Amino acid sequence: MSLLEMVQQKNMNMLPERYKTMTVDEMESRVWEVKNKLGDKLFIPGHHYQKDEVIQFADAVGDSLQLAQVSAKNTAAEYIVFCGVHFMAETADILTSDKQKVILPDMRAGCSLADMANIEQTERGWQELQETFRDTIIPLTYVNSTAAIKAFVGRHGGATVTSSNARPMLEWAFTQKERVLFLPDQHLGRNTAFDMGIPLDKMAVWDPVLEKFEYNGDLDEVKIILWKGHCSVHAMFTVENVKQVRKNHPDAKIIVHPECSREVVALADDAGSTKYIIETIKASAPGTKWAVGTEMNLVNRLTKQFADKEVFSLNPYMCACLTMNRIDLPHLLWALENVERGEVMNQIIVEANIASEAHLALERMLARA
Ligand code: 13P
Ligand code: SF4
């Protein structure tokens, strides 16, 4: 792409001024208008970490697994305006037909975790792992990864996982091969493997930047190789936060997402996927107190939704996932008004050869979900 084309594309992807001057009421009523007009032609999936100003318009709200499932089932909608981040929209594009168009209202809504594994690093790392472990490894990738990584995993017989099915998927992987390469979130991999009874000294970390293992023992003993990636949002919950909550709120239960570090998960009372956290707090008795270690938009929503309980963030200085937050009401309206005019902006298209291999990895997961 030439420099001129790049500048033109950048300008096209920028929110027009008019959306910066509209009132919230004006924008909300226009969104309802376009939604009503387009009916079943339009489908808006929304991840739990999205802002309320956006989530109020979602046709389906869920975690990564639920949104992948509803996208795969939806054959009616011509336009899928995805309120989540880039890898989720890519997954929706892979799982829907060629006639359906997936749109991300703001192309800057990426995921820092997914960006921690690129395909060149992965191919190089795999080469090294093959030399070290021969043909004893199967790759698994968290869905929080690019389509190219999912395709790599599909090509090598592996599957995707989400935080709500990581354990059964890891158990399945061990029926296929002796060892697992787990990309790109070391914490989800470590926490899940630990829960399955794999001791920490049988886990190695692969550093894709330095291209070396972080492991001191005998590599023959290693069962799982964890890619050195992490979610920068969940990394904000620390052992110190846990100690503070234990001191200031001794009657509170601490529940965290498995993207948090092993140390934090070990000290928490409970850990589980976004869906698990929501369901656990929902099912708890009125008057109970919960310190929650996950994204802030969701924690704020739980605080409002379960007013008969006390729900607060494990880290009092926590902020929302910045990239998720790029999808806001103005961008949603902009995307919808483009669709209304028949102009598709910010379409997410995964190349056919990548999509077919990534589909294999997703299907292996969805068949077991
Ligand atoms: P889940 O939706 O699988 O809980 O993942 C959390 C997350 O960080 C999504 O980006
Ligand atoms: Fe990515 Fe973490 Fe944000 Fe989820 S919360 S989109 S994993 S950076």
Side-chain angles (χ1 to χ4, degrees):
M1 190 186 288
S2 71
L3 193 57
L4 182 63
E5 281 168 334
M6 278 166 75
V7 171
Q8 279 167 343
Q9 182 167 13
K10 190 162 179 275
N11 288 341
M12 272 169 65
N13 287 343
M14 270 167 58
L15 185 75
E17 279 304 309
R18 139 179 149 72
Y19 296 99
K20 297 178 189 161
T21 52
M22 286 174 86
T23 67
V24 170
D25 282 352
E26 281 166 347
M27 286 191 280
E28 287 183 344
S29 57
R30 272 296 289 143
V31 172
W32 286 122
E33 212 175 291
V34 181
K35 247 176 95 74
N36 290 336
K37 186 169 158 193
L38 294 174
D40 287 350
K41 277 171 87 173
L42 172 70
F43 182 60
I44 307 182
H47 191 272
H48 286 301
Y49 296 174
Q50 289 283 300
K51 295 176 180 186
D52 284 345
E53 66 186 49
V54 164
I55 219 75
Q56 61 177 324
F57 300 108
D59 296 306
V61 180
D63 66 2
S64 309
L65 177 62
Q66 291 168 308
L67 295 183
Q69 286 167 326
V70 292
S71 303
K73 279 201 195 106
N74 188 311
T75 50
E78 198 176 322
Y79 304 102
I80 297 174
V81 176
F82 208 106
C83 294
V85 289
H86 194 272
F87 74 81
M88 297 178 186
E90 278 190 334
T91 300
D93 184 53
I94 295 164
L95 293 173
T96 50
S97 75
D98 289 347
K99 281 187 262 145
Q100 296 174 287
K101 295 177 178 63
V102 177
I103 294 158
L104 188 64
D106 188 338
M107 287 302 236
R108 298 168 309 157
C111 164
S112 56
L113 168 58
D115 290 343
M116 286 184 197
N118 69 42
I119 190 62
E120 291 78 23
Q121 290 170 329
T122 305
E123 295 283 8
R124 282 201 302 273
W126 185 248
Q127 188 69 33
E128 179 78 27
L129 294 180
Q130 291 300 302
E131 281 163 23
T132 311
F133 298 112
R134 301 158 312 280
D135 184 28
T136 64
I137 320 173
I138 184 170
L140 284 185
T141 185
Y142 194 17
V143 286
N144 301 34
S145 53
T146 63
I149 300 296
K150 292 184 179 80
F152 168 88
V153 167
R155 190 157 67 239
H156 291 283
T160 58
V161 313
T162 76
S163 55
S164 41
N165 61 22
R167 180 163 179 166
M169 290 312 297
L170 201 49
E171 283 167 350
W172 166 79
F174 281 119
T175 66
Q176 307 297 303
K177 290 275 165 92
E178 210 179 303
R179 296 183 176 86
V180 173
L181 165 65
F182 194 97
L183 296 123
D185 183 14
Q186 59 171 312
H187 300 303
L188 179 64
R190 186 178 292 111
N191 286 320
T192 311
F194 190 83
D195 280 352
M196 280 171 59
I198 298 175
L200 294 173
D201 61 10
K202 295 209 165 155
M203 302 184 199
V205 172
W206 174 255
D207 184 328
V209 177
L210 299 178
E211 299 196 353
K212 62 177 187 119
F213 292 105
E214 286 180 6
Y215 184 69
N216 293 325
D218 178 358
L219 277 173
D220 275 349
E221 295 294 311
V222 166
K223 294 294 292 169
I224 183 162
I225 299 103
L226 307 164
W227 189 267
K228 196 173 181 181
H230 66 272
C231 161
S232 41
V233 174
H234 290 88
M236 302 282 283
F237 298 105
T238 62
V239 167
E240 197 46 44
N241 294 147
V242 175
K243 286 185 188 158
Q244 280 300 319
V245 167
R246 296 284 186 223
K247 189 166 150 233
N248 299 337
H249 307 272
D251 49 344
K253 284 212 164 184
I254 298 177
I255 187 164
V256 299
H257 194 282
E259 285 175 20
C260 294
S261 72
R262 175 75 220 130
E263 293 76 13
V264 168
V265 171
L267 291 173
D269 297 298
D270 207 349
S273 67
T274 304
K275 179 168 174 247
Y276 177 83
I277 292 174
I278 297 169
E279 285 174 356
T280 306
I281 297 178
K282 186 176 177 193
S284 66
T288 46
K289 264 191 183 185
W290 293 92
V292 187
T294 195
E295 202 275 341
M296 208 54 214
N297 283 323
L298 175 62
V299 176
N300 286 338
R301 192 169 304 122
L302 294 177
T303 306
K304 279 192 245 155
Q305 203 173 340
F306 303 119
D308 59 336
K309 298 155 201 180
E310 202 181 318
V311 181
F312 54 94
S313 177
L314 174 59
N315 176 346
Y317 305 109
M318 193 63 193
C319 51
C321 170
L322 293 177
T323 49
M324 278 272 181
N325 267 252
R326 287 191 166 140
I327 310 294
D328 55 12
L329 182 54
H331 282 88
L332 175 61
L333 177 58
W334 180 39
L336 294 182
E337 289 194 332
N338 280 318
V339 169
E340 189 187 31
R341 284 194 294 272
E343 286 168 24
V344 176
M345 281 276 302
N346 297 349
Q347 187 179 352
I348 302 295
I349 306 174
V350 179
E351 263 176 55
N353 58 335
I354 294 181
S356 68
E357 289 182 326
H359 198 267
L360 291 174
L362 285 160
E363 268 308 316
R364 289 184 190 119
M365 170 183 81
L366 292 172
R368 285 167 186 85

Short mmCIF file of all heavy atoms in Angstrom, two decimals, residues 325-367:
data_model
loop_
_atom_site.label_atom_id
_atom_site.label_comp_id
_atom_site.label_asym_id
_atom_site.label_seq_id
_atom_site.Cartn_x
_atom_site.Cartn_y
_atom_site.Cartn_z
N ASN A 325 -12.67 -0.21 25.14
CA ASN A 325 -13.38 1.07 25.31
C ASN A 325 -13.39 1.95 24.07
O ASN A 325 -14.06 2.96 24.03
CB ASN A 325 -12.74 1.85 26.46
CG ASN A 325 -13.45 1.56 27.75
OD1 ASN A 325 -14.17 2.38 28.27
ND2 ASN A 325 -13.30 0.34 28.23
N ARG A 326 -12.59 1.54 23.08
CA ARG A 326 -12.58 2.37 21.85
C ARG A 326 -13.91 2.24 21.12
O ARG A 326 -14.26 3.09 20.32
CB ARG A 326 -11.42 1.95 20.97
CG ARG A 326 -10.14 2.44 21.60
CD ARG A 326 -8.96 2.31 20.70
NE ARG A 326 -7.89 3.10 21.26
CZ ARG A 326 -6.62 2.74 21.28
NH1 ARG A 326 -6.26 1.60 20.75
NH2 ARG A 326 -5.72 3.51 21.82
N ILE A 327 -14.62 1.15 21.38
CA ILE A 327 -15.96 1.03 20.80
C ILE A 327 -16.88 1.82 21.72
O ILE A 327 -17.15 1.41 22.85
CB ILE A 327 -16.42 -0.45 20.72
CG1 ILE A 327 -15.37 -1.34 20.08
CG2 ILE A 327 -17.78 -0.54 19.99
CD1 ILE A 327 -15.07 -1.09 18.64
N ASP A 328 -17.30 2.97 21.24
CA ASP A 328 -18.19 3.79 22.06
C ASP A 328 -19.44 4.14 21.24
O ASP A 328 -19.57 3.72 20.07
CB ASP A 328 -17.47 5.04 22.58
CG ASP A 328 -16.85 5.85 21.45
OD1 ASP A 328 -17.17 5.57 20.28
OD2 ASP A 328 -16.07 6.76 21.74
N LEU A 329 -20.35 4.87 21.84
CA LEU A 329 -21.61 5.20 21.17
C LEU A 329 -21.39 5.91 19.83
O LEU A 329 -22.00 5.53 18.82
CB LEU A 329 -22.49 6.01 22.14
CG LEU A 329 -23.88 6.40 21.66
CD1 LEU A 329 -24.70 5.21 21.20
CD2 LEU A 329 -24.60 7.17 22.78
N PRO A 330 -20.53 6.94 19.76
CA PRO A 330 -20.33 7.60 18.46
C PRO A 330 -19.83 6.63 17.38
O PRO A 330 -20.31 6.66 16.25
CB PRO A 330 -19.28 8.68 18.76
CG PRO A 330 -19.41 8.95 20.23
CD PRO A 330 -19.80 7.65 20.86
N HIS A 331 -18.86 5.76 17.72
CA HIS A 331 -18.36 4.82 16.71
C HIS A 331 -19.44 3.80 16.31
O HIS A 331 -19.52 3.41 15.15
CB HIS A 331 -17.11 4.09 17.22
CG HIS A 331 -15.87 4.92 17.13
ND1 HIS A 331 -15.49 5.77 18.13
CD2 HIS A 331 -14.95 5.06 16.14
CE1 HIS A 331 -14.36 6.39 17.77
NE2 HIS A 331 -14.02 5.97 16.57
N LEU A 332 -20.24 3.39 17.28
CA LEU A 332 -21.31 2.43 16.96
C LEU A 332 -22.29 3.08 15.98
O LEU A 332 -22.66 2.49 14.96
CB LEU A 332 -22.02 1.97 18.24
CG LEU A 332 -23.24 1.06 18.02
CD1 LEU A 332 -22.86 -0.23 17.31
CD2 LEU A 332 -23.93 0.74 19.36
N LEU A 333 -22.69 4.31 16.29
CA LEU A 333 -23.65 5.00 15.42
C LEU A 333 -23.06 5.21 14.03
O LEU A 333 -23.72 4.99 13.01
CB LEU A 333 -24.07 6.35 16.04
CG LEU A 333 -25.01 7.18 15.17
CD1 LEU A 333 -26.29 6.42 14.83
CD2 LEU A 333 -25.35 8.50 15.84
N TRP A 334 -21.81 5.61 13.98
CA TRP A 334 -21.12 5.83 12.69
C TRP A 334 -21.18 4.54 11.86
O TRP A 334 -21.55 4.56 10.68
CB TRP A 334 -19.68 6.27 12.97
CG TRP A 334 -18.85 6.52 11.76
CD1 TRP A 334 -19.25 7.12 10.60
CD2 TRP A 334 -17.47 6.20 11.60
NE1 TRP A 334 -18.19 7.19 9.73
CE2 TRP A 334 -17.09 6.64 10.31
CE3 TRP A 334 -16.51 5.60 12.42
CZ2 TRP A 334 -15.79 6.48 9.83
CZ3 TRP A 334 -15.22 5.45 11.94
CH2 TRP A 334 -14.86 5.88 10.66
N ALA A 335 -20.83 3.41 12.50
CA ALA A 335 -20.83 2.12 11.78
C ALA A 335 -22.24 1.83 11.26
O ALA A 335 -22.43 1.42 10.11
CB ALA A 335 -20.34 1.01 12.69
N LEU A 336 -23.25 2.06 12.11
CA LEU A 336 -24.62 1.73 11.72
C LEU A 336 -25.14 2.65 10.60
O LEU A 336 -25.83 2.20 9.69
CB LEU A 336 -25.56 1.80 12.93
CG LEU A 336 -25.30 0.76 14.02
CD1 LEU A 336 -26.33 0.90 15.14
CD2 LEU A 336 -25.33 -0.65 13.47
N GLU A 337 -24.79 3.93 10.69
CA GLU A 337 -25.26 4.84 9.63
C GLU A 337 -24.60 4.51 8.29
O GLU A 337 -25.21 4.67 7.23
CB GLU A 337 -25.03 6.30 10.04
CG GLU A 337 -25.99 6.71 11.16
CD GLU A 337 -26.06 8.21 11.40
OE1 GLU A 337 -25.06 8.91 11.13
OE2 GLU A 337 -27.11 8.68 11.88
N ASN A 338 -23.36 4.04 8.35
CA ASN A 338 -22.71 3.59 7.10
C ASN A 338 -23.46 2.40 6.52
O ASN A 338 -23.72 2.35 5.32
CB ASN A 338 -21.25 3.20 7.37
CG ASN A 338 -20.35 4.42 7.45
OD1 ASN A 338 -20.48 5.34 6.66
ND2 ASN A 338 -19.46 4.45 8.43
N VAL A 339 -23.81 1.45 7.39
CA VAL A 339 -24.55 0.26 6.94
C VAL A 339 -25.89 0.70 6.34
O VAL A 339 -26.30 0.23 5.27
CB VAL A 339 -24.77 -0.72 8.11
CG1 VAL A 339 -25.76 -1.81 7.73
CG2 VAL A 339 -23.45 -1.35 8.54
N GLU A 340 -26.53 1.64 7.00
CA GLU A 340 -27.84 2.13 6.54
C GLU A 340 -27.74 2.68 5.11
O GLU A 340 -28.63 2.48 4.28
CB GLU A 340 -28.32 3.23 7.49
CG GLU A 340 -29.74 3.69 7.27
CD GLU A 340 -30.06 4.90 8.15
OE1 GLU A 340 -29.16 5.70 8.45
OE2 GLU A 340 -31.23 5.04 8.54
N ARG A 341 -26.61 3.34 4.82
CA ARG A 341 -26.40 3.91 3.48
C ARG A 341 -25.87 2.87 2.49
O ARG A 341 -25.59 3.16 1.35
CB ARG A 341 -25.36 5.05 3.54
CG ARG A 341 -25.84 6.34 4.11
CD ARG A 341 -24.83 7.46 3.81
NE ARG A 341 -23.56 7.22 4.51
CZ ARG A 341 -23.31 7.64 5.75
NH1 ARG A 341 -24.21 8.29 6.42
NH2 ARG A 341 -22.14 7.39 6.31
N GLY A 342 -25.66 1.65 3.02
CA GLY A 342 -25.12 0.60 2.14
C GLY A 342 -23.61 0.71 1.97
O GLY A 342 -23.02 0.10 1.08
N GLU A 343 -22.96 1.51 2.84
CA GLU A 343 -21.49 1.64 2.75
C GLU A 343 -20.88 0.87 3.89
O GLU A 343 -21.17 1.16 5.06
CB GLU A 343 -21.09 3.11 2.91
CG GLU A 343 -21.38 3.97 1.71
CD GLU A 343 -21.23 5.45 2.04
OE1 GLU A 343 -20.49 5.79 2.99
OE2 GLU A 343 -21.89 6.24 1.36
N VAL A 344 -20.05 -0.10 3.58
CA VAL A 344 -19.47 -0.89 4.66
C VAL A 344 -18.08 -0.37 4.99
O VAL A 344 -17.18 -0.38 4.15
CB VAL A 344 -19.43 -2.39 4.28
CG1 VAL A 344 -18.74 -3.19 5.35
CG2 VAL A 344 -20.84 -2.89 4.06
N MET A 345 -17.93 0.14 6.21
CA MET A 345 -16.63 0.65 6.66
C MET A 345 -16.07 -0.32 7.69
O MET A 345 -16.83 -0.95 8.43
CB MET A 345 -16.84 1.98 7.38
CG MET A 345 -17.03 3.17 6.49
SD MET A 345 -15.47 3.85 5.95
CE MET A 345 -14.67 4.26 7.47
N ASN A 346 -14.79 -0.39 7.78
CA ASN A 346 -14.14 -1.20 8.82
C ASN A 346 -14.59 -2.67 8.80
O ASN A 346 -14.85 -3.26 9.84
CB ASN A 346 -14.41 -0.63 10.22
CG ASN A 346 -13.82 0.75 10.40
OD1 ASN A 346 -13.05 1.21 9.56
ND2 ASN A 346 -14.18 1.42 11.48
N GLN A 347 -14.69 -3.21 7.58
CA GLN A 347 -15.06 -4.63 7.50
C GLN A 347 -13.84 -5.49 7.87
O GLN A 347 -12.71 -5.18 7.48
CB GLN A 347 -15.53 -4.98 6.09
CG GLN A 347 -16.07 -6.41 6.03
CD GLN A 347 -16.59 -6.81 4.65
OE1 GLN A 347 -16.67 -5.96 3.75
NE2 GLN A 347 -16.92 -8.06 4.50
N ILE A 348 -14.10 -6.52 8.64
CA ILE A 348 -13.02 -7.44 9.03
C ILE A 348 -13.10 -8.64 8.08
O ILE A 348 -14.09 -9.37 8.09
CB ILE A 348 -13.19 -7.90 10.50
CG1 ILE A 348 -13.21 -6.69 11.45
CG2 ILE A 348 -12.11 -8.90 10.89
CD1 ILE A 348 -11.94 -5.88 11.52
N ILE A 349 -12.05 -8.79 7.28
CA ILE A 349 -12.04 -9.91 6.33
C ILE A 349 -10.79 -10.74 6.58
O ILE A 349 -9.67 -10.24 6.45
CB ILE A 349 -12.03 -9.42 4.87
CG1 ILE A 349 -13.20 -8.45 4.62
CG2 ILE A 349 -12.09 -10.60 3.90
CD1 ILE A 349 -13.19 -7.80 3.25
N VAL A 350 -10.99 -12.00 6.94
CA VAL A 350 -9.85 -12.89 7.13
C VAL A 350 -9.63 -13.61 5.80
O VAL A 350 -10.57 -14.18 5.24
CB VAL A 350 -10.12 -13.91 8.27
CG1 VAL A 350 -8.95 -14.85 8.44
CG2 VAL A 350 -10.45 -13.18 9.57
N GLU A 351 -8.40 -13.55 5.31
CA GLU A 351 -8.07 -14.20 4.03
C GLU A 351 -8.52 -15.65 4.01
O GLU A 351 -8.35 -16.36 5.02
CB GLU A 351 -6.55 -14.22 3.87
CG GLU A 351 -5.98 -13.12 3.06
CD GLU A 351 -4.46 -13.23 3.08
OE1 GLU A 351 -3.92 -14.29 2.73
OE2 GLU A 351 -3.84 -12.24 3.49
N ALA A 352 -9.00 -16.10 2.85
CA ALA A 352 -9.63 -17.43 2.77
C ALA A 352 -8.71 -18.56 3.25
O ALA A 352 -9.15 -19.46 3.98
CB ALA A 352 -10.09 -17.69 1.35
N ASN A 353 -7.43 -18.53 2.86
CA ASN A 353 -6.56 -19.66 3.26
C ASN A 353 -6.29 -19.66 4.76
O ASN A 353 -6.22 -20.72 5.39
CB ASN A 353 -5.25 -19.66 2.44
CG ASN A 353 -4.49 -18.37 2.59
OD1 ASN A 353 -5.08 -17.32 2.89
ND2 ASN A 353 -3.19 -18.41 2.39
N ILE A 354 -6.21 -18.47 5.35
CA ILE A 354 -6.02 -18.39 6.81
C ILE A 354 -7.33 -18.80 7.50
O ILE A 354 -7.33 -19.59 8.45
CB ILE A 354 -5.62 -16.96 7.23
CG1 ILE A 354 -4.23 -16.65 6.67
CG2 ILE A 354 -5.65 -16.78 8.75
CD1 ILE A 354 -3.68 -15.30 7.02
N ALA A 355 -8.44 -18.31 6.96
CA ALA A 355 -9.74 -18.61 7.58
C ALA A 355 -10.01 -20.11 7.60
O ALA A 355 -10.52 -20.64 8.60
CB ALA A 355 -10.85 -17.88 6.83
N SER A 356 -9.66 -20.83 6.54
CA SER A 356 -10.03 -22.26 6.53
C SER A 356 -9.22 -23.04 7.57
O SER A 356 -9.77 -23.93 8.22
CB SER A 356 -9.92 -22.85 5.13
OG SER A 356 -8.57 -22.90 4.76
N GLU A 357 -7.95 -22.69 7.74
CA GLU A 357 -7.16 -23.40 8.77
C GLU A 357 -7.55 -22.95 10.18
O GLU A 357 -7.58 -23.77 11.10
CB GLU A 357 -5.67 -23.18 8.52
CG GLU A 357 -5.19 -23.92 7.28
CD GLU A 357 -3.69 -23.77 7.03
OE1 GLU A 357 -3.13 -22.69 7.33
OE2 GLU A 357 -3.10 -24.73 6.53
N ALA A 358 -7.87 -21.67 10.32
CA ALA A 358 -8.30 -21.18 11.64
C ALA A 358 -9.65 -21.82 12.01
O ALA A 358 -9.91 -22.12 13.18
CB ALA A 358 -8.43 -19.66 11.61
N HIS A 359 -10.46 -22.05 10.99
CA HIS A 359 -11.77 -22.67 11.20
C HIS A 359 -11.60 -24.06 11.81
O HIS A 359 -12.37 -24.46 12.70
CB HIS A 359 -12.50 -22.74 9.85
CG HIS A 359 -13.97 -22.96 9.98
ND1 HIS A 359 -14.53 -24.21 9.97
CD2 HIS A 359 -14.98 -22.09 10.18
CE1 HIS A 359 -15.84 -24.09 10.12
NE2 HIS A 359 -16.14 -22.82 10.27
N LEU A 360 -10.58 -24.78 11.35
CA LEU A 360 -10.32 -26.12 11.90
C LEU A 360 -10.10 -26.04 13.41
O LEU A 360 -10.65 -26.83 14.19
CB LEU A 360 -9.05 -26.73 11.29
CG LEU A 360 -9.05 -27.13 9.83
CD1 LEU A 360 -7.64 -27.57 9.42
CD2 LEU A 360 -10.04 -28.28 9.63
N ALA A 361 -9.27 -25.06 13.82
CA ALA A 361 -8.96 -24.91 15.25
C ALA A 361 -10.20 -24.52 16.04
O ALA A 361 -10.44 -25.03 17.14
CB ALA A 361 -7.86 -23.86 15.43
N LEU A 362 -11.01 -23.63 15.48
CA LEU A 362 -12.23 -23.20 16.18
C LEU A 362 -13.25 -24.34 16.23
O LEU A 362 -13.89 -24.55 17.27
CB LEU A 362 -12.84 -21.99 15.46
CG LEU A 362 -12.11 -20.66 15.68
CD1 LEU A 362 -12.46 -19.65 14.61
CD2 LEU A 362 -12.44 -20.09 17.07
N GLU A 363 -13.37 -25.08 15.14
CA GLU A 363 -14.33 -26.18 15.10
C GLU A 363 -13.98 -27.26 16.12
O GLU A 363 -14.87 -27.84 16.74
CB GLU A 363 -14.39 -26.80 13.70
CG GLU A 363 -15.44 -26.18 12.81
CD GLU A 363 -16.83 -26.14 13.46
OE1 GLU A 363 -17.23 -27.16 14.06
OE2 GLU A 363 -17.48 -25.09 13.41
N ARG A 364 -12.69 -27.54 16.27
CA ARG A 364 -12.29 -28.56 17.26
C ARG A 364 -12.72 -28.13 18.66
O ARG A 364 -13.02 -28.96 19.50
CB ARG A 364 -10.77 -28.80 17.21
CG ARG A 364 -10.33 -29.53 15.95
CD ARG A 364 -8.84 -29.86 15.95
NE ARG A 364 -8.46 -30.34 14.64
CZ ARG A 364 -7.55 -29.77 13.83
NH1 ARG A 364 -6.85 -28.73 14.25
NH2 ARG A 364 -7.32 -30.26 12.63
N MET A 365 -12.74 -26.83 18.89
CA MET A 365 -13.20 -26.33 20.19
C MET A 365 -14.74 -26.36 20.25
O MET A 365 -15.32 -26.89 21.21
CB MET A 365 -12.71 -24.91 20.44
CG MET A 365 -13.36 -24.25 21.64
SD MET A 365 -12.85 -22.55 21.89
CE MET A 365 -13.92 -21.69 20.73
N LEU A 366 -15.39 -25.82 19.23
CA LEU A 366 -16.85 -25.71 19.29
C LEU A 366 -17.52 -27.08 19.34
O LEU A 366 -18.57 -27.25 19.95
CB LEU A 366 -17.37 -24.90 18.10
CG LEU A 366 -16.97 -23.40 18.14
CD1 LEU A 366 -17.35 -22.70 16.84
CD2 LEU A 366 -17.61 -22.69 19.33
N ALA A 367 -16.88 -28.08 18.76
CA ALA A 367 -17.44 -29.44 18.80
C ALA A 367 -17.44 -29.99 20.22
O ALA A 367 -18.20 -30.90 20.54
CB ALA A 367 -16.62 -30.35 17.89
#
